[in-house]
Amino acid sequence: MALYRFLSWNVNGIRSVLKKGQFVETIKRENPNILCLQEVRALPDQVDLTSLSEYTAIWNPAYSDKKGYSGTMILSKITPKKVTLGIGIPEHDKEGRFIQCEFDNFTLLNIYSPTSQHGLKRLPYRLKWEDDLFEFIKNLKPVSYTHLRAHE
């Protein structure tokens, strides 16, 4: 069985981290097969990833009324067999919080959960997100191969 190197990184804005100049250096040094990014806060046409051309970018940006908000991305050297963006619920999917990639030997979920925010003003939404995400994951086809776990 092949060995893979995975990284997960909450970049808190891909454009910002690219401007700081160490993002590409870090990726080249760490050389992951797959990099999961959360809180990318950009649309694909706003980011130049030509210096990481060995990776395929799989985007799920936020397409909501909040520009530069949330969003996830996977940079992968391995071509997935299938990609699913979102969990099938528009209320959640417009925020770009979920990417599922199915590969030959594993399935990878890149998830960016919403915060409850100051004063817990989004706590009801956060709880609904967690319930809906759990239902989605619970209904995924059974996986009898490699189980992956990644966190920030």
Side-chain angles (χ1 to χ4, degrees), residues 25-44:
E25 275 179 30
T26 301
I27 302 311
K28 298 260 186 203
R29 181 182 67 243
E30 296 300 326
N31 194 29
N33 298 97
I34 298 175
L35 172 63
C36 296
L37 300 173
Q38 303 86 33
E39 204 172 357
V40 293
R41 297 179 165 200
L43 300 174

Side-chain angles (χ1 to χ4, degrees), residues 5-65:
R5 184 170 176 86
F6 298 89
L7 292 180
S8 180
W9 187 351
N10 181 324
V11 292
N12 193 20
I14 187 75
R15 291 173 291 177
S16 174
V17 78
L18 280 166
K19 283 181 190 170
K20 292 177 184 174
Q22 294 185 341
F23 179 77
V24 172
E25 275 179 30
T26 301
I27 302 311
K28 298 260 186 203
R29 181 182 67 243
E30 296 300 326
N31 194 29
N33 298 97
I34 298 175
L35 172 63
C36 296
L37 300 173
Q38 303 86 33
E39 204 172 357
V40 293
R41 297 179 165 200
L43 300 174
D45 63 354
Q46 296 175 312
V47 178
D48 179 9
L49 296 173
T50 54
S51 57
L52 294 170
S53 61
E54 65 271 32
Y55 291 93
T56 298
I58 302 162
W59 285 83
N60 191 9
Y63 287 107
S64 67
D65 54 346

